[in-house]
Amino acid sequence: MHVNNLGSRRHFLATSAMGLGSVALACLLNDEGLLASPDKPELEPKRYDLLPKPPHYPPRANAMISFFMQGGPSQIDLFDPKPELDRLNGQKFTGEVKYDSAAQASTKIMSSLWKFKHYGHCGMEMSELLPHIGSVADEICLVRSMHTGVNNHGSSIFAMNTGRIQPGRPALGSWLTYGLGTETQDLPAFVVLTDPGGVPVEGVLNWSNGWLPSLYQGTVVRPREPRILNLDPPSYMSADTQQRYLSLLGSMNQQHLERHPGELDLEARIASYELAAHMQTAAKEAIDISRESEAVHKLYGIDDPKTREFGTRCLMARRLVERGVRFVQICTGNQDWDHHLLIRKKLPEQCLRTDKPSGALVRDLKDRGLLDTTLVQWGGEMGRLPVIQNDNGEKAGRDHNTYGFSMWMAGGGIKGGMTYGETDEFAHRAVKDVVTHCDYHATLLHLFGLDHTQLTYKHNGVEKSLVDGQACHVVKELLA
Amino acid sequence: SLILMNSDFLLEQGECLAQRVEKASTDIKAQIDLAWRLVFSRPPETMELEQAAAFLHDQTAAFKAAAPKATAGKPAKSPGLLAMANLCQALLSSNEFLYVD
């Protein structure tokens, strides 16, 4: 057997090409007094994992399900009734408006196209299009004064989902799992249930770990079978032979890591194998809704073709949270709520497919005693304008509005049966008790027992956080 | 990771590589050495060689005990080849192969 003791080509290049050059450079810089003084050394290489971690103070919530209604559901037609708009319907809007699509813009006021109803003991006013969400009004806190102030989808999505309007930052689920780990090591900590209508605008950035360790990236579950690809090992592999295979691979990777200490991606990949092995059985069980009773299927509308798809994913979300997953995001399709056009036809379609399952999830969590500790959030990255876009009969729609829009939350320490904040008389701009995306984030971290100024990660020498030094406060009025 | 563990593509690549090294020599240690050179462009260290040989021994015995049957006209794969395919797949799925230094 031929043995080459001179080392590999790779080793030769690694040690010679950069090696001597960098030593020489360091010597020169040192001689010239230009070499920066070393940063305070880390005593131990940092280790990251997904084991449960205690928060800063006792939490109210330990899991979150976020309904990401991407596109911008119309607050005017769904959540924020304005008698003044009804009175001025069809007249000229004299206030200042920021349009996204100026070419089709008009200044003609269009009041809500649907009636509002009082729901629950609290009498919360919401659209007739949302009877099932209305049926859990007493659990809901409806915020009518959301504000991101950046008028296009991508930037506003980044604001709501990552804390700032720029891309490249960790998603909410990544921050929560970085801060708290997760309650089960058999399932991913951060799961995204995508829609058959495509992924939200900005795609994979919505569940990116940004500059947090790769361990905290979201795991996507597909909207159709097989929901998780490659979950089954080949037929000739038994539990025993697979275990031997994985321990060989694990030990090779461990020896490799010892030669490359502190490389977070390598550690994440090792952890990812451990998770994958557990997932083969645990994930299959977790998303198998056939194990649920007929009554539960009915509750979520799984017996009805109109609500089956969305209902199935809502029920999966409950099963995942029940099994210890920290953060689940349920997406609607790409721009599903972006009703520039044909709002009369398209908004009711979206409501019809999502209303019943959304309400069912809150009710089901409540019935199982999970709502107390599970924060549910429902909303998009923007709302809509009180004036018509595409003023052409049935084609009418509404343009973007990030200056005043609505979202709701329930459970996890949120006060039920209350509405908070107000827009002006046109449901256009948030004017009273404004809640910015940063206020929302500080509040949700607070519910998890995390202080938004303390949950930080050092990136490029700077301590970064979800709110990232932007002015914000915990909205105490929303807390139960 | 599920792709690297269970996808048809990776299983196939592992098997192809196993067939190639088995064809090159009948000596298990020479086969391991060749697999290492093909995948990592370096020979295995003594400890790695021993670890791989022990793995092949145990895994072959386990596959033999389970005796996979021929299905739908296809001949059953030999336990030795399956074990070597496992080893090759592990090399192709290892961090040393996946990440550039």
Side-chain angles (χ1 to χ4, degrees), chain A residues 3 71 89 111 156 169 182 196 200-202 207 211 231-232 235 238 241 287 310 314 339 350 383 434:
Chain A
V3 179
N89 192 34
S111 65
S156 205
R169 292 168 47 82
T182 182
V201 166
E202 301 298 349
W207 43 88
W211 22 253
L231 204 52
D232 294 314
S235 57
S238 63
T241 49
I287 62 173
F310 200 73
C314 289
H339 299 129
Q350 282 310 318
V434 178

Side-chain angles (χ1 to χ4, degrees), chain A residues 243-356:
Chain A
Q243 194 44 56
R244 191 175 296 109
Y245 170 79
L246 288 172
S247 63
L248 172 76
L249 183 55
S251 118
M252 283 167 51
N253 281 341
Q254 207 55 51
Q255 289 156 21
H256 180 251
L257 180 65
E258 278 158 26
R259 300 196 294 271
H260 303 83
E263 290 288 342
L264 300 180
D265 281 351
L266 300 181
E267 290 184 23
R269 177 130 291 284
I270 291 172
S272 158
Y273 274 115
E274 289 164 18
L275 175 62
H278 297 301
M279 268 178 71
Q280 288 177 126
T281 46
K284 191 164 263 191
E285 191 274 340
I287 62 173
D288 180 4
I289 60 157
S290 73
R291 295 159 191 250
E292 296 282 344
S293 73
E294 207 184 311
V296 167
H297 279 236
K298 257 187 114 124
L299 175 68
Y300 284 85
I302 296 168
D303 59 335
D304 180 344
K306 291 191 285 294
T307 41
R308 179 176 299 145
E309 191 288 316
F310 200 73
T312 299
R313 288 190 284 135
C314 289
L315 179 50
M316 283 176 181
R318 188 264 279 159
R319 287 179 64 88
L320 290 166
V321 161
E322 220 172 13
R323 282 156 183 75
V325 173
R326 186 72 71 198
F327 184 88
V328 181
Q329 196 155 46
I330 305 172
C331 300
T332 44
N334 187 280
Q335 301 283 45
D336 269 0
W337 299 87
D338 192 27
H339 299 129
H340 293 272
L341 197 68
L342 292 168
I343 193 168
R344 265 191 192 79
K345 177 169 171 285
K346 300 215 160 152
L347 183 63
E349 283 173 6
Q350 282 310 318
C351 291
L352 190 63
R353 103 186 168 93
T354 56
D355 170 53
K356 186 173 186 181

Side-chain angles (χ1 to χ4, degrees), chain A residues 43 73 94 139 153 164 182-183 224 253 270-271 367 373 473:
Chain A
L43 295 175
T94 52
E139 311 300 333
H153 295 287
R164 268 193 185 277
T182 182
E183 303 297 322
R224 50 181 78 82
N253 281 341
I270 291 172
D367 289 349
T373 52
H473 70 290

Side-chain angles (χ1 to χ4, degrees), chain A residues 12 49 70 286 315 475:
Chain A
F12 174 75
D49 60 48
Q70 196 266 307
L315 179 50
V475 188

Side-chain angles (χ1 to χ4, degrees), chain A residues 117 119 126-136 351 355-356:
Chain A
K117 288 172 69 174
Y119 292 100
M126 282 193 279
S127 169
E128 60 180 339
L129 295 175
L130 302 172
H132 294 93
I133 293 173
S135 77
V136 291
C351 291
D355 170 53
K356 186 173 186 181

